[in-house]
Every structure is written in structure tokens, then in C-alpha cells.
């Protein structure tokens, strides 16, 4: 018997499979701008691990650069221990959501999928 695995091609399906919580609480008013979001997020990241920044692509019909962005990173090692040390933080016009993952690869893939938006016909 052959087992095949399917790689989700949209953000929601990917986080449903890989994130600790597919619908974490959104936090409003934490940052004044996208620049503040990026700057503060860098402060909370483990600088010795990969940090990836994502901006909406032209194919994303819902989000625009300058108003939305995301970062995938490992939580600062001095922070309390967790089974899900990798985070994808998304910022959309002042609202921030933190998705937690066990692997950086899953957080980064979620960031890439978030940036391109939902493919046509899947929404």
C-alpha cells in the first residue's frame, strides 16, 4: 500500500494541520504601524535562528504591503519553554495574530501561503 501526503496550498488548510491552534485570538492595538510590528517582533525573536519576513504579493486580493505583513521566527530562548517554539506573527492594519508551530518550516510555509492569499476557487 502506498501512502501519499498532500501539501495544503492555502493558509487556512496548512495551519489547521500544522499549528498548535488554528484560530488563535487576535490582538488589536499592540503596534502603531507595520514598522513598529517588524521592529518589536525582531526583539522577541531568537536572532540565532532563521527569521523570515513576508509581505502580501500582488496576487493577494485582500492584503496590501504597508498595511499588512508577517514574520516567521523562533521565540527568544530566554522566554518560557514551549512545545511550539516557532511563531508566525501576522499584522493586518493594527491587528496581530500569533500562530505557534513545532517546526520553523511549517511557520515559514504558513507565511508564504499567507502572503499569496487564498488561491482562486478555494475560498
Amino acid at each position: 500500500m502506498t501512502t501519499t501526503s498532500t501539501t495544503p496550498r492555502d493558509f487556512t488548510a496548512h495551519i489547521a494541520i500544522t499549528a498548535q491552534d488554528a484560530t488563535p485570538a487576535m490582538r488589536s492595538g499592540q503596534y502603531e504601524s507595520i514598522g513598529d510590528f517588524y521592529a518589536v517582533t525582531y526583539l522577541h525573536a531568537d536572532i540565532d535562528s532563521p527569521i523570515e519576513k513576508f509581505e502580501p504579493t500582488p496576487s493577494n486580493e485582500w492584503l496590501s504591503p504597508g498595511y499588512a505583513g508577517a514574520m516567521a521566527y523562533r521565540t527568544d530562548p530566554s522566554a518560557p519553554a514551549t512545545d511550539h517554539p516557532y511563531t508566525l506573527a501576522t499584522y493586518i492594519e493594527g491587528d496581530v495574530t500569533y500562530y505557534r508551530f513545532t517546526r520553523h518550516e511549517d511557520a515559514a510555509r504558513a507565511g508564504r501561503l499567507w502572503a499569496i492569499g487564498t488561491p482562486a476557487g478555494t475560498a
Side-chain angles (χ1 to χ4, degrees), residues 5-81:
S5 64
T6 303
T7 303
R9 294 185 182 251
D10 70 73
F11 176 73
T12 305
H14 179 71
I15 63 168
I17 294 169
T18 60
Q20 177 185 28
D21 179 357
T23 57
M26 182 179 5
R27 301 175 189 175
S28 295
Q30 286 187 294
Y31 305 103
E32 295 291 321
S33 68
I34 188 77
D36 288 347
F37 165 74
Y38 288 136
V40 173
T41 301
Y42 274 115
L43 295 175
H44 294 285
D46 176 358
I47 60 171
D48 294 325
S49 294
I51 300 171
E52 295 186 51
K53 178 178 165 183
F54 305 95
E55 292 186 339
T57 65
S59 67
N60 190 323
E61 299 174 4
W62 305 102
L63 303 173
S64 300
Y67 298 98
M71 291 184 69
Y73 60 95
R74 185 179 196 289
T75 307
D76 185 330
S78 65

